[in-house]
Amino acid sequence: MEESKTTPIQSMIYEIRGHKVMLDSDLGQLYGVELKVMNQTVKRNTVLFPSDFMFQLT
């Protein structure tokens, strides 16, 4: 049996400016989708996601 490579989710959670966040690249990896596709889906369906679901650091 082939050993699966798993990454603990805790290692994908960062604390930035007092908020626990996950990077879009980590979410894409977690769900097995391309980053571009995931970001397009979120942008096209903003009403399906809570207002605090995503933000962009400047």
Side-chain angles (χ1 to χ4, degrees):
M1 180 175 243
E2 188 175 317
E3 189 175 321
S4 65
K5 295 180 181 179
T6 59
T7 303
I9 293 176
Q10 291 89 353
S11 69
M12 295 180 181
I13 300 172
Y14 305 94
E15 187 160 338
I16 300 176
R17 297 180 185 168
H19 298 277
K20 291 184 179 181
V21 299
M22 289 184 73
L23 302 178
D24 54 358
S25 57
D26 289 336
L27 285 171
Q29 178 186 358
L30 183 65
Y31 288 107
V33 297
E34 289 185 41
L35 181 58
K36 181 179 178 180
V37 172
M38 187 183 72
N39 286 332
Q40 284 177 343
T41 301
V42 172
K43 286 180 185 177
R44 290 178 181 167
N45 299 292
T46 56
V47 296
L48 299 177
F49 296 96
S51 60
D52 63 347
F53 176 75
M54 68 176 184
F55 61 91
Q56 189 171 17
L57 293 176
T58 57

